[in-house]
Amino acid sequence: MSSYLIRGGRALQGEAVCQGSKNSSLPILAACILCEGAVELDNIPEITDVDATVKILSWLGCRITREGTHMTVDASDVTTGEIPDELMREMRSSVIFLGAVLARTGRALISAPGGCEIGLRPIDLHLNAIGKMGAKVENSAGVIECTAPEGLKGAVITLSFPSVGATENVMIAAVLAEGETVIRNAAREPEISDLADFLNAMGARVSGAGESTVRIEGVKQLHAAAHTVIPDRIAGATLLAAGAVTGGNICVRGLIPAHLEPVIDVFEQAGNEISIRSDAVVLRGPKRLKSVKTVRTMPYPGFPTDIQPPVTAMLCVSRGTSVVIETIFESRYKYVGELVRFGAKIRVDGRMAVVEGAQRLYAANTLTPDLRGGAALVLAALAAEGESRVDEIRHIDRGYEDFSKTLSALGADVRRI
Ligand code: UD1
């Protein structure tokens, strides 16, 4: 088991470069399956969710080279659409392979991802949509088999919720389908637009990504292409929150600031001074943060659910009381019980957390419950007096590239043991 030992109380200073987006890289890597040629990808973060994705690609028969954040994926030899249970279990978002392997091989056999640390995470929207595109879908005893031996057909799909994963799965499945697919109430996250840009670079015809209606005109085949993944707005916002919670002065470069608009608004309400450059955000934290009006998580362009835990950690040391409402995932407050160990004053009632800002936090030993909850604990430890310990940081490794190194470079006292 790996842990972080963190001696808090140091104001972060200096510059950090934001990693590539996890949530873009995973669907983009899955979409490589569609192409019978070598794809060149840049800015793929070195995180364990990418390692798990690479394992699945290799198992399916892809040839992969990886050097730092550069990767080539050649899916020319892929013939199977079966993904073993143990590989599926390593990463919940492996369901994103469903559309890709089905489109490529005419059959997908995967295990149902089931619940995870932050909620139930059903995949009914994915399966209904694939069914509408002409696939036969069988879902029994935790095994999902989808078949479309004659190929998939374009369809009009109206999502009852703008699910990011379902939008991506349908986009990927529709690229090689016969005719046009229209996704209504599609997710509008920047990662959807990044996926569309990548698919279009390979010769797909996707339009409207980033809007509520996405259209995909099926093509016969895709060709080799190169693509650079967008910056990780969640990792970038986490670093900014680390600057804020320590009263620091930091610049996060390599960002697309427009992707962070709803988050920047909350940072400003909390009394941070923000200045925006073309590819960077500079944050100067106040001596004492202020409480904010309600933070409500919403699909993009609303406040992202993935930033909710780090921002809640930030609010723990603000003056006054803030209310956080989580509307996307039902179990996203597991980390709160751990935050309380630092002396944070938070009450959770269903989807609402009431955070009463404390003058200071104190060192604690804590256990990481999930990826973003883990980031929240690291932030609390950075703000707390004395040496804290954050255990089970494998959850953090899923999404943050060398988190301790990035924080140390900003002056934090963090050691990995
Ligand atoms: C993606 C992100 C995740 C982020 C989330 C919301 C990746 C790898 N992960 O997850 O970091 O927190 O978007 O921005 O990109 N739902 C259903 N049925 C479905 C699918 C989803 O009911 O078939 C529900 C979920 O239970 C949840 C909500 O829809 O309550 C949002 O889920 P979704 O947008 O699909 O999230 P993911 O794609 O899993």
Side-chain angles (χ1 to χ4, degrees):
M1 179 184 76
S2 297
S3 309
Y4 285 142
L5 287 183
I6 301 172
R7 186 164 290 280
R10 292 186 175 202
L12 299 193
Q13 303 280 346
E15 233 181 60
V17 179
C18 189
Q19 68 184 63
S21 166
K22 166 176 97 68
N23 288 355
S24 267
S25 297
L26 305 183
I28 283 175
L29 286 167
C32 291
I33 296 280
L34 298 175
C35 180
E36 293 180 46
V39 171
E40 303 268 337
L41 297 171
D42 272 302
N43 213 23
I44 301 282
E46 296 180 81
I47 53 175
T48 55
D49 265 8
V50 167
D51 300 341
T53 307
V54 165
K55 267 197 210 166
I56 295 177
L57 289 170
S58 305
W59 194 90
L60 289 168
C62 294
R63 272 171 282 144
I64 297 168
T65 60
R66 192 175 174 191
E67 226 175 280
T69 58
H70 179 82
M71 207 184 281
T72 51
V73 182
D74 186 343
S76 306
D77 299 334
V78 169
T79 51
T80 178
E82 251 178 66
I83 304 177
D85 189 40
E86 66 269 22
L87 292 181
M88 282 295 290
R89 274 176 196 279
E90 271 193 43
M91 187 185 56
R92 192 216 169 259
S93 24
S94 48
V95 67
I96 205 65
F97 276 94
L98 179 66
V101 291
L102 179 61
R104 175 69 192 272
T105 69
R107 177 171 181 260
L109 187 75
I110 62 170
S111 52
C116 75
E117 303 87 359
I118 61 171
L120 291 172
R121 304 193 90 166
I123 57 163
D124 53 314
L125 301 175
H126 303 239
L127 297 182
N128 289 344
I130 297 286
K132 267 203 134 183
M133 296 176 74
K136 189 170 152 215
V137 179
E138 281 177 78
N139 184 359
S140 66
V143 176
I144 297 163
E145 182 168 21
C146 299
T147 44
E150 308 299 322
L152 294 164
K153 303 222 167 10
V156 176
I157 287 152
T158 303
L159 297 174
S160 56
F161 181 88
S163 154
V164 174
T167 303
E168 292 166 343
N169 236 333
V170 175
M171 282 166 69
I172 293 172
V175 160
L176 297 174
E178 189 189 317
E180 190 188 52
T181 300
V182 180
I183 313 173
R184 299 230 161 92
N185 198 26
R188 295 157 65 193
E189 270 69 2
E191 294 76 23
I192 301 287
S193 305
D194 201 26
L195 173 63
D197 288 346
F198 171 59
L199 294 170
N200 288 339
M202 293 193 293
R205 297 181 64 186
V206 181
S207 60
E211 295 161 26
S212 294
T213 303
V214 178
R215 287 171 197 278
I216 308 109
E217 180 96 40
V219 296
K220 289 264 178 283
Q221 75 184 81
L222 299 179
H223 53 72
H227 181 76
T228 301
V229 166
I230 57 169
D232 196 311
R233 62 198 167 98
I234 313 296
T238 305
L239 291 176
L240 292 171
V245 81
T246 60
N249 181 4
I250 66 165
C251 170
V252 183
R253 283 200 298 115
L255 280 175
I256 300 176
H259 293 170
L260 288 165
E261 256 170 40
V263 183
I264 286 172
D265 182 50
V266 172
F267 284 140
E268 284 181 330
Q269 280 182 45
N272 296 289
E273 221 178 89
I274 302 276
S275 56
I276 294 173
R277 305 194 185 141
S278 59
D279 77 333
V281 176
V282 180
L283 177 144
R284 184 191 289 270
K287 277 213 160 54
R288 177 89 197 264
L289 290 157
K290 295 188 286 191
S291 58
V292 300
K293 280 191 247 139
T294 312
V295 178
R296 185 188 300 269
T297 66
M298 295 290 276
Y300 193 84
F303 188 91
T305 172
D306 290 349
I307 310 287
Q308 180 262 102
V311 161
T312 302
M314 175 184 86
L315 295 173
C316 288
V317 290
S318 67
R319 189 193 300 277
T321 302
S322 312
V323 173
V324 178
I325 300 175
E326 172 59 51
T327 74
I328 310 290
F329 290 109
E330 62 272 18
S331 313
R332 210 151 202 183
Y333 287 129
K334 286 194 179 151
Y335 67 97
V336 164
E338 300 293 308
L339 270 190
V340 166
R341 292 167 175 256
F342 291 96
K345 296 181 194 141
I346 311 178
R347 270 176 298 118
V348 173
D349 185 358
R351 294 194 170 234
M352 184 170 71
V354 179
V355 186
E356 205 187 308
Q359 181 79 36
R360 55 176 58 90
L361 299 179
Y362 301 96
N365 289 345
T366 58
L367 200 58
T368 300
D370 57 69
L371 167 59
R372 307 301 170 187
L377 301 183
V378 170
L379 266 51
L382 290 174
E385 278 175 15
E387 189 173 82
S388 300
R389 182 179 169 125
V390 180
D391 289 334
E392 290 286 12
I393 57 171
R394 64 192 164 86
H395 292 291
I396 298 176
D397 294 336
R398 284 186 38 220
Y400 293 94
E401 200 175 68
D402 233 335
F403 201 31
S404 54
K405 195 169 157 202
T406 311
L407 292 169
S408 299
L410 292 169
D413 184 346
V414 184
R415 269 184 307 130
R416 188 184 176 107
I417 55 162

